[in-house]
Amino acid sequence: MITIVNYGLGNVAAFLNMYKRMNIAARAASSADELIGATRLVLPGVGAFDHAMDLLEGSGMRPSLEQLVEVEKVPLLGVCVGMQMLTQGSDEGAREGLGWIPGRTRAFAASNQAGGLPLPHMGWNDVTPKKGEALFAGLEDDARFYFLHSYYVECADVADRAATAGYGLDFACAVHRENVWGMQFHPEKSHHFGATVLKNFAEL
Amino acid sequence: MAPVQARRSCGKRVGCTCELCLGDPVTEALQTSNHPTFKIEHRVDSHGRPYQICTNCIMDTTDSKIVFDERGWCDYCNNYYQNILPNWHTDARGEREIWAQVEQIKKDGRGRDHDCLIGLSGGVDSSYLVYLAKVKFGLRPLLYHVDGGWNSQQAVNNIEKLVDGLGLDLFTEVVNWPEMRDLQLAFFKSQVSHIDAPQDMAFFAGLYNFAAKNKVKYILTGANYSTECVREPLEWDYHKSDLRQMKDIHRQHGTIPLKTFPLCGIFRYRLYYRIFKGVRVVKPLNSVPYIKEEAMQELVDKYGWQRYAHKHYESRFTRFYEGYWLPTKFGFDKRRPHFSSVILTGQMSRDEALEKISKPAYDPETIVEDFEYIATKLGITVAELQALHDAPNKTYRDYNNYMPLIELGTTVMQKIGLEHRVLR
Amino acid sequence: MLRPRIIPCLLIHQGGLVKTVGFGQPRYVGDPINAVKIFNEKESDELVVLDIDATVNGAEPDFKTIAHLAAECRMPLCYGGGIKTAAQAKRIVGLGVEKVAISSAAVDRPELIAEISAEVGRQSVVVVVDAKKRALRGGYEVWTHNAKRNSKMDAIAFAQQAARQGAGEIVLNSIDRDGKMKGYDLVLAATLRNAIDVPITVLGGAGSLDDIESVIAAVGTVGIAAGSLFVFKGALRAVLINYPAPNVKEELVSSAITKRGQGGVARSSREI
């Protein structure tokens, strides 16, 4: 069953709601026990990187997640700060990330091209998926989502970029490496566009 | 969520194999549906009559008073051919009659901002009527909409498209939501089958009260034989305009006073407003050919009108009530009279109707979500709504009513030729 | 390309939706839950819901209603009204709301902005500035409590301070234009755009989609919020929920951007 990791951050209810309305079974997990049997994982997150990593540590679910993702290769989708947590670390803070996507999370404010643009990056923006990326099936011609963030992921391996968006610079707004996916935008708040990618993730 | 049960009165369980249950297409469809929470029990109708369905339309013994002739044709069909058809003119004669009325409306409306009032729900009948009134007849209607708190997106879209596309004025009466909710919840608690009475009352009371107050002479309605010549029995859908019934139900099950809720009793609007206030009701859709499918397509093509899954689904509440509550709690499926009407008027074949009615009237994909939405809006839990659904049914007779007086009135109207439909 | 955000703004008064003129004369508009559901089905960019009683009455936010509204939204929801503590803000975000808005509370105790920001993240903190033209001397002042109390603070300076203290978005609400449906205050909008570097949203005065287009043409990619426009129809101001269809929105934005390019309107460095 699709399992939303409830470690204290992120709109868990919205994900559950989206899946419920699609008649796709989903549940939330607040402890390591509740992760047992997960066939897909969603890692949400909003707010600050360090705060998120601390809460994840504190939840006691990190070892189970690592087991599920690294060993059992259960597909996992990180959303917003959840995607940033997949990297090795963030300019925003001091903690190390989960490290499943080689690369770092960078500040828009530091980037020359983005200098001067209002921050956070807030609103609906166009997304250009990589050709053949199954997550965006059905949205090849028209993909746009709601963004709300001040930091972006810089992939060490360009092949990990599953989709790009532009805000001053072109940045990876979705990533995919083996069984790990990430979305910087909010699929749970992007109307039918978001519903489509969430459904695609469920059916991968 | 606890299993939701569709109850029929023989009390037998799922998998009943009596001859009444085998071969009942609605039952079989529900039984085989994949939805995990629906079960169905089966029944004979409450008078111990064996199940029978008309061989011409699809009305059946879920109307417990239905009468069949030796051909197996029901009294709705016979009434249609004997009483309605001879008095229904959509040819040159119909044109002449309606144009005469239109000219009178225009004449009486000179010097006023509008010459008539049209109640617009966003549904196909009132929408098409608005279009005809402006484009064909050149009238200057004021559009009147009652917002009861349940508008679907399609309804508001359709009203907007007509207002903009035809350049017409709109007036909206917004019903006080807490009062509507209280009255609707009272009806749910009363266990009667006509729980759409609050919405219906608000719509036509709003319209008629407005007309009387503003000295409107002509109300145009979308009432039509083409899709409504077979009317659901009162046993299913009792008189919405019986104010005595409504007040009794509210007195027994309501919790807050109805201070602003639009109210208008049957006698006030049928007698007082008409005789003393001079409000006339005109039904233009009976004077022109009205083929529903073509009418809808025309609205879609010309104005960006959006279709509904079924009649009356411009209100989320009505969709739930007619699609789910009424069939599963009472065994009454309003698609029967709707489809039977269009079978008689040649817009649907009986086979097609049988095929359609074999599927549930609600959408199994969304029913859980819909059920929750209704509970949320009513301010109760899903379990509480479930309990209301499963409690024993009652009828209008369990509450005060004006039925004897209304029956007398109906008989008089039928005798003097002002009412041609079967109303019982 | 980041698009301008077109945002219905709904006001809740005694549990029901209302619309005001100049922040007064509340007129009943109907049930909030059904309205939100319709805006969701029309795929609105975002939604702002403000409880205009809570602060005046000193009441807590209505958490139950907030949860129901959030459940109907597949787009970001911003809720404001009666939020005085970071704990309340956190609870509201936990109910599924993307952003919380504070107004009078930020005037009374500006540290609250930083507190909430630390709790839920800057991206979720909106400060709503109700601005009214200062008589005689020019400029705009911040008013609170449904435009009944004048704080005497300069609106732009207050917005700048709020951004520094951790607000992720400023909503600038023109009291003078509220409910009149005669157009936005473009001067105020441009002044604000040039003064701060967080996203802004302008509210107050929209009478038609052309007014929205004018804002985009004048100020660029910002949020444009409207109350009356999306809730009333026609000369009789009949209540009818409406919102531009996706293709209409696209055309509006394209047209505005073209005008912006041609018009030689002063562009700030805050442009893509």
Side-chain angles (χ1 to χ4, degrees):
Chain A
M1 189 180 297
I2 298 183
T3 306
I4 321 292
V5 183
N6 185 8
Y7 62 95
L9 277 185
N11 202 339
V12 175
F15 285 99
L16 290 173
N17 221 348
M18 280 284 237
Y19 278 120
K20 186 163 145 202
R21 293 196 176 189
M22 291 191 259
N23 291 318
I24 294 175
R27 63 177 181 188
S30 311
S31 68
D33 285 342
E34 291 176 5
L35 286 172
I36 297 170
T39 53
R40 298 267 188 284
L41 293 159
V42 175
L43 183 69
V46 287
F49 184 90
D50 280 3
H51 188 47
M53 287 309 301
D54 287 342
L55 283 176
L56 184 61
E57 288 293 345
S59 74
M61 288 193 277
R62 188 167 170 171
S64 302
L65 281 174
E66 283 167 345
Q67 166 71 19
L68 286 164
V69 172
E70 292 169 19
V71 177
E72 294 175 38
K73 303 291 182 191
V74 173
L76 176 134
L77 172 67
V79 175
C80 196
V81 168
M83 166 164 146
Q84 295 173 1
M85 288 159 83
L86 304 175
T87 61
Q88 288 156 317
S90 171
D91 287 351
E92 191 186 2
R95 302 280 176 277
E96 278 183 25
L98 293 161
W100 294 327
I101 301 282
R104 282 194 66 83
T105 299
R106 299 273 177 221
F108 274 119
S111 150
N112 285 332
Q113 289 115 304
L117 285 177
L119 288 174
H121 174 210
M122 176 187 291
W124 289 80
N125 204 344
D126 298 313
V127 164
T128 307
K130 185 161 114 179
K131 257 193 162 37
E133 176 53 63
L135 203 58
F136 293 92
L139 292 172
E140 295 81 359
D141 292 330
D142 179 21
R144 70 181 83 150
F145 299 85
Y146 193 87
F147 289 82
L148 186 54
H149 63 122
S150 304
Y151 294 80
Y152 66 94
V153 164
E154 195 178 67
C155 295
D157 186 351
V158 165
D160 289 345
R161 300 174 127 204
T164 55
Y167 193 57
L169 70 153
D170 278 342
F171 66 97
C173 65
V175 293
H176 173 201
R177 187 183 178 86
E178 292 177 36
N179 57 310
V180 175
W181 281 262
M183 291 172 193
Q184 182 62 69
F185 46 80
H186 286 272
E188 78 283 15
K189 292 288 163 162
S190 295
H191 287 303
H192 73 270
F193 302 96
T196 303
V197 297
L198 286 176
K199 184 159 194 276
N200 290 343
F201 178 67
E203 293 173 353
L204 281 169
Chain B
M1 178 175 151
V4 176
Q5 310 218 311
R7 233 179 328 103
R8 304 210 178 185
S9 67
C10 76
K12 297 204 174 110
R13 302 254 154 238
V14 175
C16 172
T17 53
C18 76
E19 67 193 57
L20 304 159
C21 299
L22 288 180
D24 177 2
V26 179
T27 307
E28 282 178 23
L30 281 170
Q31 268 197 303
T32 56
S33 139
N34 279 335
H35 201 287
T37 64
F38 294 102
K39 293 183 165 47
I40 182 161
E41 302 173 11
H42 304 264
R43 78 156 158 199
V44 308
D45 76 77
S46 50
H47 294 266
R49 293 172 72 172
Y51 181 80
Q52 188 173 350
I53 182 173
C54 176
T55 49
N56 191 43
C57 70
I58 61 167
M59 289 301 282
D60 63 8
T61 40
T62 53
D63 170 2
S64 66
K65 298 202 171 81
I66 196 168
V67 176
F68 297 101
D69 66 14
E70 60 291 342
R71 290 172 297 178
W73 285 32
C74 70
D75 50 341
Y76 292 104
C77 290
N78 286 315
N79 180 69
Y80 175 74
Y81 293 113
Q82 287 159 20
N83 292 329
I84 294 181
L85 214 43
N87 294 298
W88 179 21
H89 311 286
T90 63
D91 51 9
R93 173 175 163 179
E95 277 274 317
R96 269 200 316 276
E97 285 171 353
I98 192 64
W99 272 105
Q101 286 196 296
V102 165
E103 290 310 322
Q104 191 60 47
I105 294 172
K106 285 179 177 172
K107 188 160 158 237
D108 292 340
R110 272 203 280 269
R112 300 189 66 170
D113 288 339
H114 309 97
D115 47 29
C116 59
L117 190 66
I118 303 183
L120 178 60
S121 63
V124 63
D125 298 338
S126 53
S127 296
Y128 195 69
L129 172 64
V130 166
Y131 163 65
L132 278 188
K134 171 81 194 263
V135 173
K136 183 177 168 76
F137 297 123
L139 290 167
R140 296 172 298 123
L142 173 62
L143 305 184
Y144 183 89
H145 174 70
V146 174
D147 180 347
W150 294 99
N151 278 337
S152 64
Q153 188 281 133
Q154 290 92 325
V156 297
N157 171 77
N158 291 345
I159 295 170
E160 186 193 352
K161 293 292 193 294
L162 290 172
V163 166
D164 288 342
L166 294 167
L168 295 171
D169 287 333
L170 173 70
F171 181 94
T172 304
E173 169 77 27
V174 180
V175 179
N176 180 276
W177 169 246
E179 290 185 21
M180 171 64 88
R181 173 176 58 202
D182 194 62
L183 187 55
Q184 287 188 308
L185 188 54
F187 266 79
F188 271 96
K189 289 177 176 169
S190 75
Q191 296 295 324
V192 298
S193 63
H194 45 288
I195 59 172
D196 216 2
Q199 272 197 127
D200 285 335
M201 171 63 80
F203 296 158
F204 86 81
L207 181 68
Y208 278 83
N209 289 346
F210 181 89
K213 185 171 149 196
N214 293 284
K215 300 190 172 40
V216 167
K217 281 202 75 175
Y218 297 99
I219 296 179
L220 267 50
T221 80
N224 64 91
Y225 289 132
S226 172
T227 67
E228 297 171 342
C229 52
V230 178
R231 198 195 175 280
E232 45 277 311
L234 290 168
E235 172 188 33
W236 301 7
D237 202 11
Y238 180 68
H239 291 294
K240 61 199 79 160
S241 48
D242 185 341
L243 202 45
R244 185 161 190 247
Q245 166 102 158
M246 182 167 280
K247 287 186 170 165
D248 194 30
I249 287 177
H250 186 251
R251 194 177 49 83
Q252 293 195 37
H253 300 288
T255 61
I256 66 172
L258 300 177
K259 291 197 205 141
T260 63
F261 194 91
L263 293 170
C264 181
I266 189 169
F267 304 113
R268 179 192 287 257
Y269 91 89
R270 276 202 189 271
L271 299 175
Y272 177 67
Y273 282 164
R274 292 195 192 181
I275 298 171
F276 295 96
K277 293 274 188 172
V279 178
R280 298 260 169 286
V281 178
V282 182
K283 301 174 186 178
L285 293 184
N286 281 339
S287 299
V288 300
Y290 180 51
I291 306 297
K292 185 169 149 172
E293 201 30 62
E294 288 170 19
M296 280 202 286
Q297 195 56 49
E298 217 175 329
L299 292 171
V300 167
D301 294 338
K302 292 200 160 99
Y303 301 105
W305 200 88
Q306 287 174 8
R307 288 163 179 274
Y308 303 92
H310 189 67
K311 194 174 171 64
H312 295 153
Y313 286 5
E314 52 270 22
S315 157
R316 296 184 212 275
F317 182 84
T318 307
R319 193 181 99 189
F320 174 77
Y321 162 64
E322 293 190 356
Y324 177 75
W325 192 268
L326 205 55
T328 63
K329 180 172 165 64
F330 295 92
F332 302 149
D333 189 336
K334 278 201 173 188
R335 291 176 304 171
R336 276 193 196 276
H338 298 164
F339 292 164
S340 296
S341 297
V342 292
I343 289 171
L344 286 171
T345 59
Q347 297 174 64
M348 187 186 281
S349 73
R350 189 171 181 274
D351 283 340
E352 196 190 337
L354 286 172
E355 207 261 316
K356 285 188 151 148
I357 207 153
S358 71
K359 306 194 182 79
Y362 60 88
D363 182 354
E365 293 281 304
T366 62
I367 189 61
V368 174
E369 186 187 326
D370 294 340
F371 198 91
E372 268 178 35
Y373 186 68
I374 301 293
T376 300
K377 284 269 288 178
L378 292 174
I380 61 179
T381 65
V382 165
E384 284 168 335
L385 185 58
Q386 187 64 61
L388 288 172
H389 182 277
D390 298 342
N393 297 338
K394 290 198 173 153
T395 76
Y396 73 84
R397 292 179 202 86
D398 291 302
Y399 297 91
N400 293 342
N401 60 80
Y402 278 136
M403 186 54 165
L405 218 47
I406 297 175
E407 253 174 345
L408 178 61
T410 305
T411 310
V412 167
M413 299 257 288
Q414 283 167 336
K415 288 242 180 316
I416 64 176
L418 282 180
E419 179 61 70
H420 297 292
R421 299 169 301 169
V422 168
L423 295 174
R424 55 147 184 278
Chain C
M1 183 199 74
L2 183 67
R3 285 137 201 291
R5 299 166 293 126
I6 298 177
I7 311 170
C9 178
L10 302 178
L11 307 178
I12 295 187
H13 171 59
Q14 293 172 356
L17 288 182
V18 297
K19 199 39 205 99
T20 52
V21 176
F23 280 50
Q25 309 163 38
R27 182 181 152 191
Y28 184 68
V29 160
D31 171 47
I33 295 181
N34 203 56
V36 167
K37 199 170 173 73
I38 294 176
F39 280 119
N40 181 57
E41 286 170 12
K42 286 182 177 291
E43 301 215 320
S44 307
D45 289 340
E46 287 182 38
L47 193 62
V48 171
V49 175
L50 303 174
D51 181 334
I52 64 175
D53 295 329
T55 295
V56 169
N57 297 339
E60 274 230 303
D62 181 354
F63 297 107
K64 189 159 161 230
T65 299
I66 295 171
H68 286 145
L69 296 179
E72 293 302 327
C73 288
R74 282 200 321 187
M75 68 276 189
L77 174 63
C78 170
Y79 170 83
I83 300 171
K84 288 203 164 66
T85 69
Q88 286 169 332
K90 184 174 173 186
R91 184 171 169 191
I92 290 171
V93 169
L95 293 172
V97 174
E98 270 60 49
K99 304 187 234 176
V100 294
I102 55 175
S103 191
S104 318
V107 170
D108 293 340
R109 209 171 68 80
E111 311 79 66
L112 180 61
I113 302 173
E115 286 164 18
I116 296 181
S117 199
E119 193 61 62
V120 299
R122 166 191 203 101
Q123 79 292 325
S124 293
V125 181
V126 179
V127 172
V128 178
V129 180
D130 296 334
K132 194 166 177 187
K133 279 204 179 118
R134 188 184 283 121
L136 304 170
R137 278 193 295 131
Y140 298 81
E141 288 170 320
V142 180
W143 287 63
T144 64
H145 293 78
N146 294 331
K148 296 211 168 43
R149 292 190 201 167
N150 186 354
S151 75
K152 304 277 189 199
M153 284 194 273
D154 179 79
I156 301 297
F158 177 72
Q160 286 174 314
Q161 186 197 308
R164 274 195 299 273
Q165 282 170 314
E169 182 183 1
I170 300 291
V171 172
L172 190 46
N173 197 352
S174 164
I175 296 171
D176 301 301
R177 302 269 175 154
D178 174 57
K180 301 224 170 84
M181 298 181 82
K182 288 193 158 56
Y184 287 94
D185 187 334
L186 298 178
V187 168
L188 180 57
T191 311
L192 182 68
R193 174 71 288 167
N194 290 328
I196 60 175
D197 55 12
V198 298
I200 67 169
T201 296
V202 292
L203 172 63
S208 69
L209 293 179
D210 287 341
D211 290 333
I212 293 181
E213 198 182 308
S214 301
V215 173
I216 302 171
V219 193
T221 298
V222 293
I224 309 105
S228 304
L229 178 64
F230 296 134
V231 139
F232 293 134
K233 189 83 196 154
L236 300 177
R237 282 171 66 114
V239 173
L240 189 75
I241 306 281
N242 65 90
Y243 185 85
N247 63 315
V248 172
K249 217 164 47 172
E250 282 296 288
E251 276 170 38
L252 186 159
V253 170
S254 299
S255 170
I257 289 175
T258 310
K259 285 192 179 126
R260 184 155 178 72
Q262 293 163 347
V265 179
R267 299 169 73 96
S268 74
S269 61
R270 298 180 184 83
E271 294 285 345
I272 297 175

